[in-house]
Amino acid sequence: MQQDLKSELTKQLIIDKAFTLFYENGFKTTSIDKIMKETTLSKGAFYHHYKSKKALGLEVISLKVQKRVLDGMVYPLEETGDALDILEHIFITRLKSFKIYEKEHGCPMNNLINEIGDHELAYQLALKQIIETWKSALIKLIERGKREHTIKPNVSSAAVAVYLISAFEGIRGIRKLYKDDTILEEYVSGLSLYLKQLQA
């Protein structure tokens, strides 16, 4: 039992350090050697848990990246209340919750999409699954808003969902270029205007 716990803690340490290094330096430039140097574990410890960097990358996506999106952007969509208020609150609150470090480095998921999304089918599918889960949750909320007559009945729920995801991910990437939050404040203003246009 103790050995199992030690093994699980070792694996978690590798995943945590890999996520941070992928986030800060990029996936392609981060070697197994760099990751293991950060963990202070042997390379043998890596190969005990993973066959390759690809296997580790997929686990980082499923355990770290996906969890961030689910916790921050998907599960809160299940709250009760006015659908448009929920949308505005979640997108704006999430944006305002990011620390300077996160603003400077952008969105971990978006970074991986841009870097390796077209590199290998396995990465593409893993990242796409996160987007599709997020999109489905948004569509569900927008459809609820239509039924409750808070959102115009003729809007395309899928189009709105894709637009909201794309705009949010885009501003996370663009913010990396700036030294202050002016661009984020402009995005927030634009988001509020857009959501008002959906109001029934």
Side-chain angles (χ1 to χ4, degrees):
M1 190 68 173
Q2 185 126 9
Q3 188 58 40
D4 289 345
L5 178 61
K6 186 181 176 186
S7 180
E8 192 52 43
L9 290 172
T10 298
K11 194 174 180 183
Q12 193 57 56
L13 177 62
I14 295 169
I15 291 168
D16 289 345
K17 293 296 183 184
F19 171 76
T20 301
L21 289 170
F22 294 161
Y23 187 36
E24 293 177 353
N25 306 315
F27 181 85
K28 291 179 183 176
T29 59
T30 301
S31 65
I32 292 169
D33 286 335
K34 280 183 188 173
I35 295 165
M36 297 321 289
K37 186 178 178 184
E38 284 293 312
T39 65
T40 69
L41 297 167
S42 70
K43 209 166 179 179
F46 175 87
Y47 287 109
H48 175 73
H49 293 287
Y50 299 101
K51 289 181 181 177
S52 63
K53 182 181 163 187
K54 175 184 168 184
L56 173 61
L58 290 170
E59 192 129 300
V60 166
I61 290 169
S62 67
L63 296 181
K64 299 290 283 186
V65 178
Q66 181 171 275
K67 186 178 187 312
R68 280 176 59 97
V69 177
L70 291 176
D71 289 347
M73 301 303 295
V74 175
Y75 296 145
L77 294 171
E78 297 168 4
E79 292 173 15
T80 56
D82 182 282
L84 281 176
D85 288 345
I86 292 168
L87 285 173
E88 187 166 21
H89 175 73
I90 289 167
F91 278 85
I92 293 173
T93 301
R94 182 68 172 155
L95 208 55
K96 289 183 175 177
S97 74
F98 293 124
K99 298 177 176 67
I100 291 294
Y101 168 80
E102 293 169 299
K103 290 173 182 175
E104 289 174 346
H105 290 89
C107 171
M109 177 179 67
N110 200 28
N111 292 350
L112 286 169
I113 288 170
N114 288 323
E115 189 183 8
I116 60 171
D118 62 345
H119 183 65
E120 171 116 25
L121 184 61
Y123 299 138
Q124 189 179 67
L125 292 174
L127 292 162
K128 184 178 171 185
Q129 182 185 356
I130 301 172
I131 295 291
E132 286 299 318
T133 301
W134 188 5
K135 179 184 165 186
S136 295
L138 283 166
I139 289 171
K140 187 177 175 183
L141 177 62
I142 295 160
E143 287 294 316
R144 177 166 74 76
K146 288 183 189 179
R147 289 193 304 274
E148 294 171 355
H149 309 293
T150 57
I151 294 177
K152 290 175 182 173
N154 62 333
V155 301
S156 165
S157 299
V160 172
V162 170
Y163 178 78
L164 288 172
I165 292 169
S166 302
F168 184 81
E169 290 302 312
I171 199 63
R172 292 293 317 277
I174 291 168
R175 173 58 179 83
K176 293 193 286 186
L177 305 173
Y178 292 83
K179 296 297 181 190
D180 62 41
D181 286 343
T182 304
I183 196 82
L184 291 185
E185 289 159 10
E186 291 167 345
Y187 163 81
V188 166
S189 296
L191 175 64
S192 295
L193 286 171
Y194 175 71
L195 291 175
K196 278 185 176 67
Q197 291 172 21
L198 303 178
Q199 198 167 9

